[in-house]
Amino acid sequence: MTDPRYTPLRQQHEALGASFTDFGGWAMPVRYTSDLAEHRAVREAAGLFDISHMAEFVVEGPGAGAFLDYALAGRLSGLSDDQAKYSLVLDPSGGIVDDVIVYCQHPDRFIVVANAGNRDAVADAFSDRRNRFLDLSEGDVTVEDWTERIALVAVQGPTAQRILEATPQLTGYSTPLDDLKYYRMTHAAFTPQSGAEPSPVHVGRTGYTGEDGFEVFVRWDDAPALWDALLSAGEEHGLVPAGLAARDTLRLEAGMPLYGHELGLDIVPAQAGLGRVVVDGKERFVGKEGLEAVDAATLPVLVGLTADGKRAGRAGYGVFDGETKVGEITSGALSPTLGHPIAMAFVAPGSSAPGTELSIDVRGTRIPATVTALPFYRRIK
């Protein structure tokens, strides 16, 4: 067995009493106290997440935008400075290699954030696509894996902005947080200790919990000092460290797909409700011909399911329309915020309309469930 990788925050997690789990080859905190307490803290105040295991690729050069247009499903060349966009890495058949967030720092430099478990697959895809792109003589571009040069720390929740503003070691935002729109990035300086030289940090306003929140890109070695500074400043604003278990129930309530559950190589974007991410008007991109050969309307489609009671469907449980099995749950939990079971599932198109009455086989017992539009939870702005 390969030894797990640790982020630069290992000592911080151990000091806080974290339980660890393997996630994409990384030993990551799954919880510090209780899943419920950490989940509620994010909904009511804020949670601090270590997401340094995520993979970062820096794409640079005069052909950077055109390369990303070719390599990804979306159109990234049109992004303005400091704008971010959700996109997909498709394989030639149209299946999903990974979902990514692309940050444009300027037209010749982008940062692509991929899932930890798909780092190698995305690296291989970018390497192959770069070679093909260069053969097309569309402009020069380099792609570098900066995963272990950049650490990522996320603050998510209603008090997230106040916490960043109250952290004295973070100064000089290029765009004040008050003016920073969703899916935009600002730049600041972080002073890890008194008398030290400040280092640049990039702060994105994105997130994976359904709440307002920020992701701070910081130098690998500065991550422990940033983590400590945020926890100290956030104490009076209700900030608590939060692990993967809370993140999973938060993203499920927000109806956000997770690779390996709602996304995979055998799933095309339209099935997962991500057809809008694909730009059909592009002359070419990897996956275009594969998608054109697929009749997505005949394939299982991702839906939300809600139920009464306390028994929740879990990944792999069957979904039935009468006595006919029509699908399978991909993620499910008893919603901490809503107080009833919720799930996402792929079901046959004929059973996917909102309001359709289905049932979930929960360990031999059929639980009535209703098809519900996603997301289950939407924050009040």
Side-chain angles (χ1 to χ4, degrees), residues 36-187:
L36 186 59
E38 292 166 21
H39 180 110
R40 285 180 172 165
V42 175
R43 289 280 180 252
E44 297 167 4
L48 183 62
F49 296 86
D50 177 11
I51 52 174
S52 302
H53 60 316
M54 303 289 282
E56 293 90 18
F57 297 90
V58 175
V59 181
E60 286 188 285
F67 166 72
L68 290 171
D69 286 350
Y70 170 70
L72 303 179
R75 192 183 300 282
L76 293 311
S77 59
L79 294 180
S80 56
D81 290 2
D82 296 331
Q83 186 178 6
K85 190 170 189 176
Y86 180 85
S87 195
L88 296 168
V89 185
L90 302 179
D91 77 352
S93 70
I96 299 171
V97 177
D98 201 12
D99 62 334
V100 298
I101 295 179
V102 181
Y103 295 87
C104 174
Q105 293 192 301
H106 57 73
D108 293 347
R109 192 175 197 274
F110 296 78
I111 300 175
V112 180
V113 180
N115 285 293
N118 290 330
R119 176 183 177 183
D120 291 343
V122 174
D124 290 345
F126 277 172
S127 176
D128 178 69
R129 292 168 199 197
R130 177 179 174 273
N131 292 336
R132 294 173 183 270
F133 178 78
L134 294 180
D135 288 342
L136 296 170
S137 301
E138 297 283 351
D140 196 15
V141 62
T142 62
V143 181
E144 290 189 62
D145 185 340
W146 281 38
T147 302
E148 290 174 44
R149 297 169 65 178
I150 298 173
L152 261 178
V153 175
V155 184
Q156 295 282 310
T159 64
Q161 180 177 330
R162 277 181 276 162
I163 291 166
L164 263 66
E165 291 172 337
T167 303
Q169 294 94 330
L170 286 171
T171 56
Y173 290 102
S174 59
T175 299
L177 298 183
D178 254 348
D179 299 329
L180 188 67
K181 296 179 180 177
Y182 191 48
Y183 265 67
R184 296 281 177 167
M185 172 178 275
T186 183
H187 310 279

Side-chain angles (χ1 to χ4, degrees), residues 358-381:
L358 302 175
S359 64
I360 303 169
D361 187 337
V362 180
R363 297 179 178 177
T365 300
R366 295 288 179 85
I367 306 297
T370 304
V371 176
T372 306
L374 295 171
F376 303 105
Y377 164 85
R378 195 185 300 274
R379 70 185 172 97
I380 300 172
K381 299 181 180 178

Side-chain angles (χ1 to χ4, degrees), residues 75 228 253:
R75 192 183 300 282
D228 293 343
E253 288 182 344

